[in-house]
Amino acid sequence: GDHAGTAAAIGRQIGLARTDRVLTGADIDAMNDADLSAAVARTDVFARTSPAHKLRLVMALQACGRHGVYRGLAGLTVGGRSDARWTAGEQTAMLIELARADLLVTFVITQHLGAIKRILAADNRPDETSLDTLLTDLLDGRRFASVGISHLTTSRRHLDQPAVRAAAIETGYRIDGTIPWVTGAPHVDQIVVGAVLENGDQILAWIDTDQAGLRAGTGAAMIALAASCTDAVQLDGVQVDAARVL
């Protein structure tokens, strides 16, 4: 909503790398999608934008998936060439460059990548086709995922019982409890969730956010990165097929 000059000044104060160029809502209106995707890649400051403009920005970020950014960050080949894997150093350099441009978006991307990498590393692959379809959609930016596993190592470990519990049923598992933190909770399509069995064993599984029994918060009021919509996710009898256990 700010004037372009004001937005640029604020950008300099908070340390954005590129504040000499400001993209306004009027500029966005004048661009086609291809030009917008190119402009977003070299612009840090946006001003006088409407919700419709912000939607176009999100769509431009989805272009990262189409152009192989998520594949590269996941350590996969980019562009179909066997020699085109990004090294660990190149992956880190890309994340640093993304963070310099937009720390919030980079934070969301890291959670998306966390889900992708856990699915890639799955020990259980009874339904390879379904898993490959999900991975392709996540890597290409058609769907977005997040992780809900902090309660297995840090969050709410002081409670008398695990924050998220799993019980075996005929088709797989029933999951109950509260995931303390999920980035993008009300907006992502899938969550990789951790749960604890009665005998203390832990499982990871991927669930769809539109499943019965799942309720996501709208976004906690945090000191920083509040627009990441990080919040708790309540699971009440959410059923997970055995094929979705990672």
Side-chain angles (χ1 to χ4, degrees):
D2 287 322
H3 183 275
T6 304
I10 294 171
R12 287 190 291 273
Q13 290 175 14
I14 65 175
L16 291 182
R18 298 167 295 191
T19 59
D20 55 334
R21 172 187 173 90
V22 179
L23 205 61
T24 67
D27 296 326
I28 293 173
D29 283 335
M31 293 180 179
N32 61 34
D33 288 342
D35 289 340
L36 177 61
S37 293
V40 167
R42 59 178 186 270
T43 304
D44 289 353
V45 182
F46 300 85
R48 293 280 166 90
T49 57
S50 69
H53 297 137
K54 294 170 185 176
L55 175 60
R56 288 194 69 197
L57 295 178
V58 171
M59 294 174 66
L61 287 175
Q62 289 174 339
C64 288
R66 295 195 299 274
H67 292 288
V69 173
Y70 303 137
R71 290 179 181 274
L73 290 173
L76 301 175
T77 56
V78 179
R81 306 197 322 273
S82 60
D83 62 343
R85 293 180 187 272
W86 294 358
T87 65
E90 289 171 332
Q91 293 174 39
T92 301
M94 173 59 77
L95 285 171
I96 290 173
E97 186 65 21
L98 287 169
R100 283 174 177 158
D102 193 318
L103 183 60
L104 170 67
V105 171
T106 307
F107 174 52
V108 174
I109 287 175
T110 61
Q111 304 306 293
H112 180 58
L113 286 171
I116 288 172
K117 289 185 175 183
R118 281 163 178 80
I119 295 171
L120 282 170
D123 297 320
N124 181 41
R125 290 177 171 268
D127 186 356
E128 201 75 29
T129 301
S130 176
L131 205 59
D132 285 347
T133 299
L134 172 64
L135 276 170
T136 298
D137 285 346
L138 295 176
L139 289 165
D140 291 346
R142 289 190 292 272
R143 296 186 188 181
F144 278 83
S146 192
V147 291
I149 59 176
S150 64
H151 50 280
L152 295 183
T153 56
T154 54
S155 299
R156 307 196 181 180
R157 299 284 289 171
H158 62 286
L159 299 177
D160 293 336
Q161 61 179 351
V164 181
R165 304 168 301 283
I169 58 177
E170 185 176 351
T171 57
Y173 294 91
R174 186 188 69 248
I175 300 182
D176 294 274
T178 302
I179 309 172
W181 303 107
V182 176
T183 296
H187 300 297
V188 294
D189 302 296
Q190 277 81 31
I191 299 172
V192 172
V193 58
V196 181
L197 296 169
E198 188 175 2
N199 64 2
D201 287 347
Q202 297 177 349
I203 64 169
L204 290 180
W206 63 273
I207 57 178
D208 295 320
T209 53
D210 60 358
Q211 286 184 229
L214 186 149
R215 290 182 289 109
T218 58
M222 302 191 297
I223 294 175
L225 303 181
S228 68
C229 293
T230 299
D231 208 336
V233 174
Q234 182 69 34
L235 306 172
D236 294 317
V238 174
Q239 296 192 16
V240 178
D241 189 272
R244 293 190 170 204
V245 176
L246 302 173

